[in-house]
Structures are given as structure tokens and as C-alpha cells.
Amino acid sequence: MLHLLAIWMSVATSLMAGWSISVSLYISLPLGFMIWLLGFFLNLRLIETRRRRRATHSRAHVQENYRRIAARTVMNLGIALGFRSWLTMIVAGVLIPLYVEAAKRQRMYLDYLRTGTLSDAFPNRIPRK
């Protein structure tokens, strides 16, 4: 939730300060909206596959959270392009390491719930058959 506040505050600050990308509004608005929709639908698809896997009790893949990070980053870049905001592009880049750290913490927590031990005790998380 904090990342949404950071993105929208950067959009507002950039618009008030006049820090905009020199692209026509007729080009940036539709292109930014299409990029945002791409990230949004990618995020929805990843959430839906997670629900289906959970319903069938299959194991989650390691890269799942990192794909959601990419989807959120695409959404942020779509907002930055749609509003022609340099500051929002910078904030989107700064948020990537925060997203990665949150994904690592969530993975460690889920590993702890599943195994009762810390995740770094198991370097290879995908069980082999």
C-alpha cells in the first residue's frame, strides 16, 4: 500500500513542479495506459495461477514472486509514461529493491511455515522427484 502512495505522490509532485517527459500527451496517455493494462493483466494472471495451484495443492515455483515484481514495475512505468513524469520513473526504479526484499521475506516466512526451519538452510528449494 505504501508503494501506491509513493507512486501517486511522485505523480502529483512531478505535475506541480513541471518535471515532465517531452512526449506529446496524445502519445503518452494511450501508450502509458496500455503499458499499465499489460502489467495489470499480467499481475491478475499470476494471482489466478497461484490460486489454482493452491486449490490443487501443487507446489509453488520459486520465481512466482519475482514475476509479480516485474508486473508491478510495468504498471508503475505505465503510470510514469501516462502522466509524463520523470520523478515517477525514478520512484519506480527505487521501489524495485523494496519489492525484491518483500518477496524474499515472504518466501522465508512461507518456508518457515512449511518446514519449521529457516529457508537459507535449504539452498535448493524445489524438491526433486
Side-chain angles (χ1 to χ4, degrees), residues 39-118:
F40 181 73
F41 287 133
L42 179 61
N43 200 11
L44 283 180
R45 186 178 64 101
L46 291 170
I47 290 171
E48 185 61 31
T49 57
R50 177 189 288 176
R51 285 185 187 151
R52 269 191 253 129
R53 267 191 250 144
R54 189 176 294 156
T56 60
H57 302 291
S58 63
R59 298 208 167 119
H61 296 304
V62 176
Q63 297 294 324
E64 180 177 324
N65 289 327
Y66 298 108
R67 290 185 187 127
R68 290 203 55 212
I69 290 170
R72 278 182 256 156
T73 303
V74 168
M75 289 172 63
N76 292 343
L77 292 176
I79 290 171
L81 185 62
F83 286 100
R84 302 182 306 161
S85 170
W86 282 112
L87 185 60
T88 307
M89 282 196 185
I90 293 169
V91 168
V94 168
L95 284 175
I96 293 172
L98 298 175
Y99 289 154
V100 170
E101 183 63 30
K104 284 180 185 176
R105 287 182 183 268
Q106 181 183 17
R107 184 174 59 181
M108 287 174 59
Y109 175 70
L110 293 175
D111 281 348
Y112 175 74
L113 288 178
R114 190 180 76 233
T115 63
T117 58
L118 295 176

